[in-house]
Amino acid sequence: MARLKGFQKLTLIDDALQKWLNVLQIKKPREATAPLNEALNRVLATDVIAKEDLPRFDKSAVDGYALKTQDTIGASQFKPVTFQITESEVGVKQARQIWTGNPLPKGANAVVMIENTKKTDGKLEVWVQLATGGNVSKKGEDVKKAEKILKAGTRLNPYHLALLAAMGNSEVKVAEKPRIAILATGNELAEAGNKPSGNQIFDSNRVMLSAMCRELGAEPVDLGIAKDDINEIAEKLGIGLQECDAVITTGGTSVGELDLVPDVVNNSGKPGVVVHGLALRPAMPTAVAAVDGKPVVILSGNPVAAVIGFEVFVRPLVCKMLGMSREEPRPTVNAVMTRKIAAALGRRTFVRVRVTQKNGKFLAEPVSARGSGAISTMTRGNGFVIVPENREGVTEGEIVMVRLFGNVEEVR
Ligand code: AMP
Ligand code: MG
């Protein structure tokens, strides 16, 4: 592909994503075994089928006495029924003491709460009527044997882990973490912690993109910083392609003299760059590529543009690599726009907003004003409003759907 001199034609996001995913060879993830204590946020590699019922037996849901319901008919505070206390099978007019979680003894079909009884002279008075199964958790009431309890591709939360443990599992089969190489490029970049010289800026994209990979359940591999130099970029890219499942680069993807990354990727293998120049704002100069079926995402150096490029391309990619059937949705909320915002017709515009809750209403305040370089829009904001290609903006008071990446605070 010839070096692009300016982006005469921008590709629509959905088309770009489709075209790119079509040339990628993404294998089913390798399986790994994780102890439950280390499986939080990992993604299930296989469906989980219940090997037995849960609970495994009928059990008491309260502290009390197991008995036969027909013996409680007519019982009331004024007319308690007297039971004989037994230590074995429950016969007619007999009650057996039972604690929460104990199996229901033979002969009983309900449990009376201890609060509704009184023990005197080795006898038990009961003053409530019980229905069959009263205060009993039935065998299989939670989960039935052979039921599919969890689906492959599920990201494990604490409750999934509890369910797995309740079924007797100590470990779980999860998708191995895809390894994603991250390379920052740019002559101007200084490593954070070092003293910057002249007009150097600190590289912040590498740590951010690593953390974003980690957040999604991928394993970032740091390729460091490359100067705007064909050989240096090619060498580091080569390491990434050799050792990892995908490569992300930032910087050097516009149409300036030093924007060399797409060319280097093209020289690394086929098909190379699939789409360069997107109908997306910010992040227009993003490119997506593949080298021998391996995904390469060429993100802009502008921090916010890198975020949006990641959101649009890397997020669905990682989900796919983890074996999910579709992109994992972020939480969303409908909010009232507090100010009008302009967007570019023909492009998909990502507006950063800060959503708050006020008097039971969600409000979305734009924080985007400072452009695609201003990373603080991401720390002051907690969500994206995605303005579609066919809209020139959003009006004040309009209800918009916000894709949240942070928590929503309540304000007065
Ligand atoms: P580029 O995509 O190379 O044209 O970079 C655009 C702008 O993004 C640069 O002028 C820098 O200000 C900024 N930038 C590039 N790389 C990084 C990085 N790794 N971390 C933070 N900012 C960056
Ligand atoms: Mg640059």
Side-chain angles (χ1 to χ4, degrees), residues 288-300:
V288 283
V291 174
D292 304 324
K294 228 171 231 189
V296 180
V297 185
I298 305 169
L299 297 173
S300 165

Side-chain angles (χ1 to χ4, degrees), residues 57-111:
F57 42 80
D58 290 348
K59 64 178 188 184
S60 181
V62 295
D63 294 335
Y65 291 86
L67 41 65
K68 292 182 187 293
T69 51
Q70 67 265 33
D71 294 340
T72 66
I73 293 171
S76 72
Q77 293 223 281
F78 309 103
K79 226 179 109 211
V81 179
T82 305
F83 286 74
Q84 202 192 347
I85 292 173
T86 178
E87 306 271 292
S88 56
E89 195 170 316
V90 176
V92 174
K93 285 282 173 81
Q94 288 187 332
R96 179 170 166 181
Q97 184 145 39
I98 189 171
W99 307 113
T100 306
N102 286 163
L104 197 67
K106 251 195 164 157
N109 61 0
V111 180

Side-chain angles (χ1 to χ4, degrees), residues 185-188 228 250-253 258-259 301:
T185 72
N187 289 337
E188 76 277 32
D228 291 311
T250 81
T253 181
L258 292 177
D259 292 319

